[in-house]
Amino acid sequence: MRRKLIAGNWKMNKLKADGIELARSVFEKCTVNLPFDVLICPPMSLLGLIADMPHGSCGIGSQDVAETIKESGAFTGDVSAKMVCDLGATHAIVGHSERRTLHHETDDVVRQKAENAMAAGLTAVICIGETEAEREGGEALSVVSRQIQGSVPTTATSENCVIAYEPVWAIGTGKTPTVADVAEVHAAVRAELVKLLGQEVANKMRILYGGSVKPSNARELLSVDNVDGALIGGASLKIDDFWGIASTQL
Ligand code: PEP
C-alpha cells in the first residue's frame, strides 16, 4: 500500500514574513499523526529559515538543485544538492515543466539533477508531462514514457524518488485531464517504471498527479488508480486551499 504524499510547490512566491506564516500553518497540521505524508517546497530564499522551524512530520524540499556533480565550486547562482540537504531539506523537485521550458532542461539534465539529489540523500521528485500540442497530437503516452526513460536514474527506489505527472497544459490553467486520462497516463507511467526499475521497485514508487489540483477536485483525482498523491502549485499558497486538498484524505 503506497502512502499518499500531498506536496506544495510554492514556486517563486512568498517573502519572509508570509512564507514563515504559511509554513507555520502547515507545520501545525503536521504535529498530529496523519494518514498521508506532507511536503512543502518553498523558494530557495526561504528554505533554510523554514527548515529550521519545528516542522513535525512535514518534509521540506527545494524546487531544483544544481546540475553539476560537484558539491561546490565556480557555479555562480547554483545551489548544490549537498547544500540543499545541509539546509535541512528532505526532498528536491527536479524537471518541473517550468524548468524544462524556461530553462531548456533536457531529460539528460533532469536525470543528472535527480542523481545529484539522490547522492546527497534527498528524495528527488521528478516531474514529467506532455504539452497541449503533444496531447492533441495523441502523443501523451509516448512523451511521458520517453521522459521516464530519459529522466529517471536506474538507481531510483521508492525511498529516493517520487514521480510527478503534470500535464503542462493543466499547470496553473484551471484545466484538468479527465479521470480516465489521468488513470491511463498513471498506469502507463507505472508500466514504464517496471521496465526501467523492475516490478518490485516500480510497485512501491509513488506517482503524484499535478496540475490545477484544488479542494473541489482533489478527492476525485486522488482516488484514481495509481495516483499516490498530488503536487500542488497555486493552491499550496493558501493554507485553506492546501489543507482543503489534504483534508480530503483524512
Ligand atoms: C505545479 O506547478 O507543480 C502545479 C501543479 O501548479 P498548479 O497546481 O498551480 O497547476
Side-chain angles (χ1 to χ4, degrees):
M1 180 70 182
R2 294 178 297 267
R3 199 172 148 88
K4 287 208 171 17
L5 172 63
I6 305 298
N9 170 17
W10 294 7
K11 309 196 188 194
M12 196 176 72
N13 289 294
K14 301 291 178 191
L15 298 179
K16 205 157 55 175
D18 277 359
I20 286 174
E21 193 186 318
L22 176 57
R24 188 171 292 125
S25 314
V26 175
F27 295 161
E28 271 167 17
K29 308 281 190 190
C30 297
T31 54
V32 296
N33 238 339
L34 294 167
F36 49 82
D37 295 329
V38 181
L39 167 68
I40 58 169
C41 302
M44 203 64 93
S45 54
L46 299 181
L47 193 66
L49 264 179
I50 286 178
D52 282 347
M53 295 165 62
H55 48 270
S57 60
C58 191
I60 295 169
S62 65
Q63 299 171 15
D64 192 27
V65 293
E67 181 190 347
T68 175
I69 58 167
K70 297 199 173 141
E71 292 170 349
S72 59
F75 299 94
T76 302
D78 282 340
V79 181
S80 71
K82 178 148 187 179
M83 290 168 167
V84 166
C85 197
D86 184 49
L87 288 177
T90 50
H91 290 67
I93 297 174
V94 294
H96 190 278
S97 76
E98 286 147 21
R99 303 242 21 125
R100 289 180 185 262
T101 310
L102 302 173
H103 297 269
H104 312 291
E105 291 187 4
T106 61
D107 283 336
D108 281 345
V109 170
V110 175
R111 191 182 61 247
Q112 184 61 60
K113 289 185 170 192
E115 279 171 8
N116 296 348
M118 292 169 182
L122 299 166
T123 297
V125 180
I126 304 177
C127 301
I128 56 170
E130 81 285 0
T131 64
E132 188 147 41
E134 288 164 340
R135 168 142 302 260
E136 280 167 6
E139 295 165 44
L141 297 186
S142 60
V143 168
V144 297
S145 298
R146 194 184 63 228
Q147 289 175 328
I148 292 276
Q149 294 298 335
S151 316
V152 179
T154 49
T155 51
T157 68
S158 57
E159 300 291 311
N160 67 15
C161 181
V162 172
I163 307 297
Y165 167 57
E166 302 204 297
V168 179
W169 52 273
I171 295 179
T173 58
K175 294 194 250 176
T176 50
T178 63
V179 161
D181 286 342
V182 173
E184 184 183 37
V185 177
H186 278 242
V189 170
R190 179 88 54 212
E192 211 55 44
L193 290 172
V194 171
K195 282 194 224 158
L196 185 71
L197 307 169
Q199 190 86 51
E200 203 184 322
V201 172
N203 280 350
K204 287 197 212 144
M205 193 166 285
R206 293 191 277 198
I207 307 172
L208 313 184
Y209 167 78
S212 295
V213 179
K214 45 191 180 206
S216 57
N217 62 18
R219 194 182 302 278
E220 186 176 46
L221 288 164
L222 284 161
S223 66
V224 176
D225 265 3
N226 285 304
V227 173
D228 307 313
L231 182 56
I232 304 153
S236 71
L237 297 174
K238 289 195 186 135
I239 188 63
D240 287 352
D241 290 342
F242 187 59
W243 212 254
I245 293 168
S247 312
T248 63
Q249 304 306 303
L250 284 173

